[in-house]
Each structure stands twice: as structure tokens, then as C-alpha cells.
Amino acid sequence: MTADSARRRRRRRLFGIGAVVTILALCAGGWLVWPDRDDQSQESGKPSANTAPQGRLDIRETVEKPPKSTTGRMAFRFSVDDMRPGEEYEMPGSWATDKVLAKGIGRTLVGFKMGADVTTDDEIWRLPLSGPICGVTRHVTVEGRTAVLHRNHKNPKALCDHVTFVDLDSGKKLWDKEFPASDSVFGVDAMTVTMTRATVAVTWDRGSAAYDMDRGTRLWKNMKTSGCDHQGLAGGRALLMLMACFADDEMTYRVRNVNPRTGAAEWTYRVTDGVKDVALLSAEPAVLGVSAGEIGVTHLISLDHRGKRRTTIGLQGGRFEVKCRILRFQVVDDCPSTVVTDDQVFVTSRERDNSNWILSFDLATGKAVKKFDSGRNRLIYPLRTSGKHVLAFRDSDDHITPMEVVSLDPRTGKETPYFSFGLPPEAWTLTSQELADIFVQNGRIFFSSARATGPDDKDGRWSWLVLGVGSDRASSN
């Protein structure tokens, strides 16, 4: 019996929701290789250097250290096989610690051991929820915990009215709370969830509430007033709420800084009339992306600690773009092509001649500061802050030139390579920010699909759902 035929005889349903899969015994080709068993730990995530030492209830701000080797290696893969034509499963949420890659699949959270090639039933923990996941946050606490929203029943049309707080390393449900729900609008749930220090906060269009991380007790609840819906939240170092207000058939927006422990408004900023949409790019410093009469973000607005406008940054008629993802549930802070540091905002130019660049703007003056080019047949995107630097992913447009993880210095304009790698064709779709979660954590870059989709024909295919890549040697200290 061949290895391929043996693998295909071991088939299971994708976590009990319908996709038949098989164990993958071999890693993919390309430039990636699997690490030795005794060299899988990459303890590079450490507290951020640009803030005071973090406590366990803070939202983690880890610093990635340059690795000793710039050669990429396969650090993790989750893939399935033999999904039937027309099958489709939502996979919202992706998180990583130094030990575990956690993923949302339908109404289940699962955790996989890092440094493995996994498929169905290889998870080290599984946490079933009462209904499908309907809201996630990218934020994780220092001790590896996060929050998700889910429905109160297996029926995909059931209300999205539960928030669960979970430990990502163990898969333990720490607490689960029910909150008032809003009906979906055009098939999109109106609920959002985020976290800031010691606090989990949710909105449901007609109100908002917050819960203590340790006890799960409700700290406060604010209901809709003055004709303003609670549209969504942005967390991290602070808590911002986006409010949509209706009067005389006109809609205006307000952004409110909320005390996470009391629910009281610290300040409120009224967005100029005529703006069609608002995204919350950062809670502290507060940075907004607004759509002024056009589709998509046209301007960035930075606010000071009192909610007063510092400057407005025009995106030069579309020369630069802020891509905010549109999911099947509401989200106001998911714009992965833009990164905000303490004093700058990094945006991406539109692609031109198979290349682009990143340009940073000063949050106080609005002036351009530093430019980082992608290079020929390559595209570059900022991912997140790492201490006083910004981590970026350089994609390969021709799939011949290597991909890279690099560190950008906002002060000097210097670029430091972390590691380079190539991917086989099965993984190319995972490098799209519109289709996948792309993030760096503990020395690895992860590409995680937001949806599992069956093939167009009956022949079947391998479906790569999550891929992790790291340096072939641990980070330097």
C-alpha cells in the first residue's frame, strides 16, 4: 500500500461539522523544512520596551527579537483533505502563544501544539460552544487569554448573545456570560467584542457592557441614548467606542473614550458631518479612518488624550489605501494594512507595476516621515508594532522571489531582515490580508484562513488552513 493511499483511508469529519480530512505525514516542499524535534522553542515574545512592565491582565505587547538565522522553516501546519464540493465552514479567529496555535471553527475553539503538522483530531484541546462563533478580537492578555462571542444555539440564525473568556494554552473556559442581543442587519451581526486591561467589553447596537477578566462579573452596562447606536469597540491600551447617531434622516458619528472599569465617558469626539463611515485604527493613541464621501477610507484623524483633533492626514485621492475587512459579523477595528505606533501611522500604497511601499505619517503634524519600498515583484504590508519598531511582511508577487518578515525602524528608516522563505502553491491564498489572518507571534509568522471551502470538482484537494513559519534557529538575546 502506498503512503498516499494509506493516508486517504484515514478520513474524519472536520470537527464534527462535515469536512472529511486525512492525516498529512509529509511536509510541503518549497524552501521550507521542518525543524528538528529538539529545536522547536522560540521564546522571542517579551514585554514591550515602549511601556512600563506589563501585568498579567494587560493586553500583551511583545517584542520580537532578530533571529540568529534568516532562513525560514516550517513551524506549524493545519490542513484538511477531501472536502466535498460546495462545503464551506467559517473559521473566525486565530491566536498564538509560545506553545499553542488556537483556531475558531464553526462553534468550536481548538488548540494545536506548536511545531507540528496536524489535521482533525490532532488538537491538544477542544472547547465546544453553545453555538457558532459570531465575534472575535485579535487581542490576547499577557497570560494568554482572549474572548469570543457565540450564539446561544447550534442554529446559525440564533441570537449572538454570549461572551466566553478562554485560556489559550489549556483551552479552559474561564467564564461565559449572556448579554442583550440585537437582530442582524442585512445578515451581519451587530455585536462586537474587545479587551483592555482587566476588562472584556461588548456592544450590541442598542447598548454595551463590560466584564471583569478574573471573576466574569459585570462591571457596567450602558444602554442606547440620544438616538445613538453602539456600533463597535477598539481595545488594547484603552477603550474606544464608535457611535452612530441618527437625526432628521442624517447619520453622524461620535467616538467616545470609555473608562473600562466604570463605563463613564472620558471624552467624546464628534466626527464631521457628511462622513459615510468610520474605522477605529487605534485606541491609544486614538487614530480614526474616515470615509469622506467615497467608498473606503479617505482620511486619517489623530486625536490627543482629551479627544481633540491633532491632525488630518489625506490619503492622496486613493494613492494610499487602508483596507478594512468586512466579515459576516460587525467589526470596526480590523484594518490589517495599517499600523499605529506611539507617534506615527504606517499606511500602504496602492500596488503599481507589481510593487508598492509603506509610508509613515507623523500623528502630530500629519507630515510624511519614512518610506519603505517593497522592491521589484514584491509587495510589503505592515503587521504590528514590536517595541519601537514595526514588523512587516514582504510578499512575493511572482512567487519566485522569497517572502520575508522584516523589522522597520520608524526613526532611522532602517530595515532589518528577520527571515525569508518560500511557499508552495497550496498556501499562496493564505498570504492575502483580505482572506486570511496574518500575524507574528513568538518568532513565527502565521497565515490563517478565515474560511474553509470545498473544491470545485469531485477530485478533491488539500486545503491548507493555517501555516506557521519561523527562523531555523532561535532568536538572539
Side-chain angles (χ1 to χ4, degrees):
M1 180 182 296
T2 66
D4 282 344
S5 61
R7 285 196 299 269
R8 290 181 180 277
R9 292 187 62 180
R10 184 186 175 195
R11 297 181 177 181
R12 299 187 180 93
R13 307 294 286 178
L14 177 58
F15 299 100
I17 56 175
V20 180
V21 299
T22 161
I23 285 290
L24 300 181
L26 302 175
C27 70
W31 295 307
L32 295 179
V33 294
W34 280 98
D36 294 333
R37 290 287 183 181
D38 60 351
D39 185 27
Q40 295 182 3
S41 176
Q42 296 185 22
E43 302 290 341
S44 61
K46 298 181 180 179
S48 174
N50 61 348
T51 61
Q54 290 194 291
R56 66 181 187 86
L57 298 179
D58 287 322
I59 304 305
R60 69 182 182 190
E61 297 182 31
T62 53
V63 177
E64 304 294 329
K65 300 299 183 181
K68 295 178 181 178
S69 170
T70 58
T71 301
R73 68 177 184 183
M74 187 86 75
F76 176 83
R77 184 176 64 175
F78 170 38
S79 52
V80 299
D81 187 26
D82 291 341
M83 289 183 66
R84 293 190 296 266
E87 285 188 317
E88 184 174 276
Y89 304 103
E90 297 297 321
M91 301 181 64
S94 308
W95 309 270
T97 69
D98 61 332
K99 302 175 182 178
V100 172
L101 186 287
K103 190 83 180 99
I105 303 178
R107 67 181 194 91
T108 305
L109 292 172
V110 295
F112 296 105
K113 182 180 179 180
M114 204 63 68
D117 189 10
V118 301
T119 185
T120 303
D121 291 348
D122 290 336
E123 69 273 10
I124 58 176
W125 59 258
R126 179 190 300 194
L127 177 61
L129 302 171
S130 60
I133 297 168
C134 49
V136 297
T137 174
R138 68 183 183 277
H139 295 303
V140 175
T141 68
V142 168
E143 59 184 358
R145 298 175 173 184
T146 195
V148 300
L149 303 182
H150 58 93
R151 305 187 190 282
N152 58 22
H153 192 273
K154 295 180 181 179
N155 187 336
K157 296 183 180 179
L159 290 176
C160 179
D161 61 357
H162 278 257
V163 55
T164 291
F165 194 51
V166 60
D167 186 301
L168 295 174
D169 281 330
S170 68
K172 180 181 179 181
K173 180 192 294 185
L174 302 173
W175 49 260
D176 181 280
K177 298 295 178 180
E178 182 178 357
F179 59 90
S182 299
D183 295 330
S184 63
V185 180
F186 302 115
V188 177
D189 290 308
M191 284 60 68
T192 67
V193 60
T194 196
M195 303 191 307
T196 187
R197 187 183 188 283
T199 307
V200 177
V202 299
T203 62
W204 60 88
D205 200 26
R206 293 188 291 272
S208 55
Y211 301 86
D212 180 81
M213 282 183 179
D214 274 339
R215 300 183 300 273
T217 53
R218 194 175 71 194
L219 299 171
W220 50 266
K221 181 172 73 172
N222 292 335
M223 300 305 294
K224 173 180 177 179
T225 58
S226 304
C228 295
D229 292 342
H230 296 202
Q231 290 271 288
L233 297 163
R237 297 183 187 174
L239 184 63
L240 291 190
M241 181 186 299
L242 176 63
M243 307 177 72
C245 306
F246 303 88
D248 300 325
D249 295 326
E250 295 290 335
M251 183 170 66
T252 58
Y253 291 96
R254 298 175 189 173
V255 176
R256 178 168 292 174
N257 181 286
V258 179
N259 184 311
R261 306 301 288 179
T262 68
E266 304 286 354
W267 51 255
T268 300
Y269 173 77
R270 177 166 178 164
V271 182
T272 303
D273 293 351
V275 166
K276 304 300 182 184
D277 201 6
V278 176
L280 305 179
L281 304 183
S282 172
E284 185 181 314
V287 179
L288 319 178
V290 302
S291 301
E294 301 178 27
I295 298 176
V297 175
T298 59
H299 296 79
L300 307 180
I301 299 174
S302 68
L303 307 177
D304 65 16
H305 66 282
R306 297 171 297 178
K308 303 298 183 182
R309 187 184 70 85
R310 300 175 72 190
T311 189
T312 298
I313 302 167
L315 298 184
Q316 301 181 20
R319 187 180 183 188
F320 297 93
E321 55 185 354
V322 174
K323 297 180 180 179
C324 298
R325 297 198 300 180
I326 301 176
L327 305 176
R328 294 188 179 181
F329 41 85
Q330 185 160 301
V331 63
V332 299
D333 65 342
D334 190 5
C335 301
S337 65
T338 306
V339 169
V340 178
T341 68
D342 288 338
D343 54 8
Q344 296 180 38
V345 56
F346 288 69
V347 297
T348 309
S349 75
R350 288 191 179 276
E351 179 182 348
R352 182 178 180 182
D353 297 329
N354 299 326
S355 64
N356 71 341
W357 65 89
I358 295 172
L359 189 64
S360 68
F361 294 91
D362 188 281
L363 294 179
T365 66
K367 295 181 178 180
V369 182
K370 298 295 181 182
K371 180 181 180 182
F372 301 89
D373 286 304
S374 66
R376 185 177 180 183
N377 291 323
R378 309 175 91 178
L379 300 171
I380 189 169
Y381 306 100
L383 295 179
R384 71 165 174 90
T385 60
S386 177
K388 295 185 178 298
H389 294 179
V390 171
L391 298 176
F393 166 56
R394 180 174 276 116
D395 198 357
S396 172
D397 190 65
D398 59 10
H399 299 295
I400 298 175
T401 309
M403 301 176 187
E404 290 182 317
V405 174
V406 297
S407 175
L408 311 178
D409 190 327
R411 296 163 296 174
T412 66
K414 179 182 177 181
E415 177 181 312
T416 302
Y418 272 30
F419 51 84
S420 60
F421 56 95
L423 298 179
E426 295 89 342
W428 288 351
T429 58
L430 294 179
T431 64
S432 167
Q433 288 186 314
E434 288 80 7
L435 301 176
D437 297 321
I438 304 176
F439 59 100
V440 174
Q441 188 60 44
N442 291 94
R444 310 174 183 96
I445 184 170
F446 294 92
F447 306 91
S448 179
S449 178
R451 184 176 297 117
T453 304
D456 296 329
D457 52 50
K458 296 181 180 179
D459 293 336
R461 65 163 185 254
W462 298 107
S463 296
W464 292 39
L465 302 178
V466 185
L467 177 67
V469 180
S471 167
D472 66 358
R473 295 174 64 188
S475 61
S476 58
N477 295 316

